[in-house]
Amino acid sequence: MPVTGFLIRNVQWPLMERLKENRTRHYLRDLQNAQGFSQEQLLDRQRQKLGRLLQHAVHKVPAYASLSSEWDTSRIPPERFLQRIPILSKTHFRLHADDYVTKGVNSAQLIGNRTGGSTGEPTRFYLDRIAVEHYEAARWLGLSWHGIQIGDPSVMIWGSPLELNQQQAKRYRWKERWLKNRLLLSAYELDERRLQTHLTLIQRFRPAYLYGYASALHILAEMMLNRGWTIGIPLKGVVSTAESLHEHQRKAIAEAFQAPIINEYGARDGGIIAYQCPAGRMHAFSENCFLEVVDPITHLPLYPGESGVLLVTDLHNTVMPRLRYQLGDVVALSPELCSCGISYPLLNTIDGREDDMFISQNGQYVHGHYFNHIVRNLESFRTFQLIQHEPQSLSLKLVKEPSRFHTADEDRLLAGIRMALGEVSVQVAYVDQIPPTGSGKFRYAIRECPLKSVQPLE
Ligand SMILES: [Zn+2]
């Protein structure tokens, strides 16, 4: 529907800018300019933004007030000063959220948001328009690397907005359709019976790109491939977001949709952090956020290339600054430059969620990918979910691939689990399907006990 895209770009956005002072495209141009700067220039700009944020936080935000005299008298660079500040866990933030709101902020400026709470309680927090529009700008920049522009039609495969009633949901869909040129499909409704209907909807809508959770896109792709179907319309890309994208998922999605897969890395409570470029690497938006990677237990900084816990400092959220916010992901930074010519720094790997990291009997971390890798090499199982309730106690749900099932594969899988975790008890159950979590995401590996609960054996 090229007319809708044309109107969105040339009428709706200029109106939003004039009437509502929306500055997303202005920030997008800034981000576009900065992607050609040298690494030193980018670092310098980031340092200046961080300095301004720290100046604001220690003087205006109760949670950071105790640092004000140290900040005012010390001459150390902001990125070094930041390291003196304790990391901010989600639990601490949730319990003391009021202390993070800037004193005297106009409540009309606050935009409330919360995480889905698929594991544990939802986290509530505030943003303002400046922060939100910077996230939007980062997403549009990432999409522009793949030839996608504002107003291009898209199909979004998403968890239903459960909090909406029917009337609100209808309005939401209408707004998505006509103001954003976006067709919504629910991740909860992806089943064999409705596959044909969904594909017909997508084909008629002729999107430039698809956007959705990795697991939802993967389920759709698998159903299509099982029937020997592909999408049959040209797509600029398929954007996978909100979950780590496993290699087998990437392959299936690329085959079913015959398009490049674009990985978006972001979180509701972290903003749009990084985007995949056409060379296949993940570039972090250093203009918007300051990233650190630290050891999960000691919290000491790690060298580029080493995987650890990601800490995010959003450089534009001044209504509720969260410094060194522990998002819950395990990543590695990279010192390399990308061949694509974009200067934004690279994330080497995004290993997934901290909650996906298991702890072995001798205190080693084992990433959920490990178990996924074993299951992919066995023919018997369509999918699985492994939960570590306590370090020694796990449960394993398995969905059979009926035509290729051998009981010996269960023993192989259990042996693989015990090889990594030690002598653990695993309660095995065969189920017909494994439903996604409340937010519509699907998780293979879930750790429920704290990482510190095992004392390493000498
Ligand atoms: Zn690149």
Side-chain angles (χ1 to χ4, degrees), residues 205-226:
F205 191 69
R206 296 195 74 81
Y209 64 107
L210 307 186
Y211 185 96
Y213 292 146
S215 57
L217 292 167
H218 176 237
I219 290 169
L220 186 58
E222 283 283 310
M223 286 193 293
M224 290 165 64
L225 295 174
N226 282 341

Side-chain angles (χ1 to χ4, degrees), residues 145 276-283 337-342 344 346:
W145 296 339
Q276 189 172 16
C277 74
R281 306 292 304 267
M282 296 299 292
H283 289 269
L337 292 175
C338 186
S339 60
C340 74
I342 294 164
Y344 286 123
L346 293 172

Side-chain angles (χ1 to χ4, degrees), residues 107-395:
S107 61
Q109 263 179 278
L110 299 176
I111 300 172
N113 205 336
R114 67 186 175 97
T115 58
S118 55
T119 55
E121 286 178 58
T123 303
R124 289 165 214 284
F125 56 95
Y126 293 114
L127 303 159
D128 63 359
R129 275 187 46 194
I130 297 172
V132 172
E133 288 169 7
H134 275 96
Y135 299 161
E136 287 289 311
R139 177 183 284 125
W140 286 120
L141 179 68
L143 291 172
S144 77
W145 296 339
H146 303 272
I148 296 166
Q149 56 173 338
I150 288 174
D152 275 355
S154 65
V155 169
M156 180 158 141
I157 298 162
W158 208 244
S160 302
L162 295 174
E163 60 266 35
L164 302 183
N165 64 35
Q166 220 172 4
Q167 193 59 32
Q168 287 170 319
K170 216 170 150 186
R171 223 181 113 200
Y172 182 71
R173 279 178 187 274
W174 187 91
K175 276 171 78 174
E176 287 288 317
R177 173 70 184 81
W178 296 105
L179 300 183
K180 296 188 179 168
N181 209 5
R182 190 151 71 184
L183 176 73
L184 290 181
L185 295 181
S186 167
Y188 295 96
E189 293 168 3
L190 297 175
D191 58 38
E192 297 280 353
R193 278 182 304 125
R194 280 176 277 204
L195 180 61
Q196 176 76 65
T197 317
H198 277 133
L199 288 185
T200 308
L201 276 173
I202 297 175
Q203 285 157 347
R204 282 202 193 131
F205 191 69
R206 296 195 74 81
Y209 64 107
L210 307 186
Y211 185 96
Y213 292 146
S215 57
L217 292 167
H218 176 237
I219 290 169
L220 186 58
E222 283 283 310
M223 286 193 293
M224 290 165 64
L225 295 174
N226 282 341
R227 297 190 191 189
W229 294 353
T230 53
I231 193 71
I233 50 169
L235 294 170
K236 291 178 183 170
V238 178
V239 184
S240 157
T241 188
E243 300 170 311
S244 33
L245 175 67
H246 299 276
E247 192 45 40
H248 73 279
Q249 294 176 319
R250 176 189 287 277
K251 272 191 193 153
I253 298 166
E255 195 182 334
F257 296 106
Q258 299 179 306
I261 311 302
I262 306 162
N263 202 3
E264 173 184 273
Y265 177 47
R268 274 206 189 192
D269 51 345
I272 301 295
I273 295 168
Y275 239 87
Q276 189 172 16
C277 74
R281 306 292 304 267
M282 296 299 292
H283 289 269
F285 297 110
S286 59
E287 292 279 295
N288 283 3
C289 55
F290 187 91
L291 304 182
E292 297 167 87
V293 176
V294 299
D295 181 275
I297 304 291
T298 64
H299 297 164
L300 291 171
L302 295 174
Y303 288 106
E306 290 181 332
S307 280
V309 166
L310 177 69
L311 308 180
V312 181
T313 299
D314 181 339
L315 296 170
H316 296 113
N317 186 356
T318 51
V319 293
M320 196 181 204
R322 282 165 290 147
L323 308 176
R324 314 191 83 203
Y325 183 67
Q326 190 175 359
L327 196 58
D329 289 332
V330 179
V331 313
L333 302 174
S334 167
E336 293 163 28
L337 292 175
C338 186
S339 60
C340 74
I342 294 164
S343 304
Y344 286 123
L346 293 172
L347 288 183
N348 221 2
T349 52
I350 300 164
D351 283 333
R353 310 276 313 158
E354 278 172 60
D355 306 329
D356 303 340
M357 275 212 305
F358 284 23
I359 185 104
S360 76
Q361 292 297 292
N362 61 7
Q364 299 285 314
Y365 308 125
V366 179
H367 202 276
H369 292 333
Y370 169 84
F371 309 109
N372 195 33
H373 191 73
I374 302 176
V375 175
R376 293 295 138 205
N377 285 313
L378 300 172
E379 289 193 320
S380 294
F381 311 113
R382 186 172 288 178
T383 189
F384 77 105
Q385 188 174 59
L386 184 65
I387 303 176
Q388 188 171 34
H389 306 287
E390 294 296 332
Q392 313 75 15
S393 155
L394 295 94
S395 58

